[in-house]
Amino acid sequence: MTPVESIVERGQIAQQKYEQYTQAQVNLVVEAVAWAILEPKRNQELAELAVQDTGLGDVADKFKKNFRKTLGLIRDLSTAKTVGVIFENLKTGLTEYARPVGVVAAITPSTNPGATPINKILNALKCRNAVVVAPSPKGHSTCARLLEFIHQQLDLVNAPRDLVQMLPFPITKDSTNELMRLADLVVATGSQANIRAAYSSGTPAFGVGAGNVLAIIDEHADLNGAAAKITQSKIFDNATSCSSENGVVICADVYSGAIQALENAGGVMLDEADKKRLEGVMFQGGKLTSTLTAQYPSVIAERAQLQNPKAKEAKFLMVEEDSFGSCAPFSGEKLSPVLTVWKAADFKAAQDLVTHVYDYQGNGHSVGLHTALSGDVMEKRAATLAENLKVARVIVNQAHTIATGGSFENGLPFSLSMGCGTWGKNNFSDNMNYRHYLNITRVVRPIPERVPKVEDLLKDYFARFPQA
């Protein structure tokens, strides 16, 4: 038996015991495991370890992310029913029972080595599953420490430790692939290579699409408010999130004012020479390198040898672009505090430009819209984007990174894994949530027969095309 086979077998044994828990017992386990990362001292240690070992992001922002994402998820889970009857309709004779899926393989990225594993773990446990985490190699140490805290909490509530396990070090593609083959469900977040591996593992899988989020600032926007939200979002955790704005499309009527607002908020616009210097380090052969991923602007300025003296003091850097696609690498995802800026003639032109950029990279994820704060303008513009762009979310007048994965100020489920639908080559377009970790069994009872008449169901057709 291989080490991975042994881990999965132990998970199966623990899950079979856990499946007998009542809803109250499950809820207690979930609350206990949540405290493993919500407790401030443990959270701080995990945040520091994450940045130390991955070299990505910001400790204070990691702390905030670990706390807010977990707190929000626990809020979502607190009222969810995942044991026994979860739906009943006597009129249709249907009753639905929540059932676990078994052992979940949780594939997690280096960008969020604490927040993403705990999110998947809590969702899995809420649905009476066991879970085995496959962290990125860089995120291994953070995940291992998190599991030490989780096991302490499981001991406290007398739940099996083997409900939550991880792959042993060193993390390899072979061990991760073996885990995915042996598990009952794969939930994958990270590189598109990992997502493709999950989908081809032979195990049912949920995987997420690529980022490259753009935001539109239209002629009705509160420019200072938009700039403040974009800045808050862009610089959070040094743009590790797939929901971080990679570009902003600004309507021409307010372009100069919007640029000024972004500069006032801490952005620094690079000239063409510095843009070329940055491109030479950030992209190799038109493809994004990891050299500048999730680094501070000061580090980026130094590594790219930028000449603008303000670059080292910037909150984020900006480059102007007038094209898209492989000929314009800055139109793609950057995973760093670098923001691409386009000028569009009007809102329709802005929408068209987003379409072209997303066809290159980013279809399915999300788009941001900064417009009038309320009223018909806001509703019509949001509706236009929702009906025409290949996106699963239209985020209106919010800091995109904060809002897309669920926020206390919107109604999306808290998550660190955003489905992008078929546009992003995913099989779902929701924020990944506990319902993706459930099987549902339906009891189907007989009801009085109701057979409709053909002429009633096809009445509109027959009215237009009378049959001979």
Side-chain angles (χ1 to χ4, degrees), residues 121-191:
I121 289 166
L122 291 172
N123 277 314
L125 292 176
K126 179 69 179 186
C127 299
R128 292 181 294 166
N129 301 306
V131 58
V132 181
V133 182
S136 70
K138 287 183 178 180
H140 173 271
S141 56
T142 304
C143 189
R145 189 61 172 144
L146 171 63
L147 260 63
E148 289 180 16
F149 295 147
I150 288 174
H151 288 160
Q152 293 171 12
Q153 295 300 107
L154 290 173
D155 290 346
L156 189 64
V157 296
N158 198 30
R161 281 193 170 198
D162 286 339
L163 285 175
V164 183
Q165 301 176 82
M166 65 180 290
L167 291 180
F169 188 80
I171 307 298
T172 66
K173 288 183 179 180
D174 287 343
S175 63
T176 300
N177 289 336
E178 184 180 8
L179 171 63
M180 291 192 290
R181 289 195 303 270
L182 295 173
D184 298 297
L185 175 71
V186 179
V187 288
T189 307
S191 71

Side-chain angles (χ1 to χ4, degrees), residues 218-378:
D218 78 4
E219 71 274 21
H220 303 288
D222 171 1
L223 300 183
N224 289 327
K229 292 180 175 68
I230 290 168
T231 301
Q232 177 192 8
S233 176
K234 186 61 190 171
I235 69 175
F236 186 79
D237 203 21
N238 286 344
T240 56
S241 172
C242 63
S243 297
S244 176
E245 289 91 339
N246 276 275
V248 177
V249 184
I250 305 172
C251 290
D253 286 352
V254 295
Y255 184 81
S256 60
I259 294 297
Q260 185 63 60
L262 288 167
E263 290 178 336
N264 291 343
V268 170
M269 182 70 76
L270 301 183
D271 62 19
E272 281 298 315
D274 267 348
K275 179 182 175 183
K276 282 293 183 183
R277 294 184 184 96
L278 181 59
E279 180 180 335
V281 177
M282 181 171 281
F283 302 96
Q284 297 293 329
K287 294 184 178 181
L288 181 68
T289 71
S290 61
T291 307
L292 304 179
T293 298
Q295 301 302 312
Y296 294 100
S298 57
V299 174
I300 295 173
E302 182 176 350
R303 291 182 181 175
Q305 297 184 346
L306 302 182
Q307 300 303 299
N308 189 323
K310 296 181 179 179
K312 291 185 178 181
E313 306 301 324
K315 289 185 177 180
F316 61 98
L317 304 171
M318 296 186 287
V319 295
E320 288 186 301
E321 189 56 80
D322 57 10
S323 188
F324 49 83
S326 58
C327 64
F330 282 106
S331 65
E333 189 171 34
K334 291 168 282 295
L335 290 172
S336 63
V338 176
L339 187 71
T340 307
V341 181
W342 287 267
K343 181 192 290 188
D346 52 26
F347 180 74
K348 177 62 168 60
Q351 176 188 304
D352 291 344
L353 194 148
V354 172
T355 298
H356 293 309
V357 172
Y358 282 5
D359 282 343
Y360 165 60
Q361 192 178 113
N363 268 337
H365 200 290
S366 315
V367 68
L369 172 63
H370 295 275
T371 185
L373 296 179
S374 62
D376 289 345
V377 170
M378 181 187 77

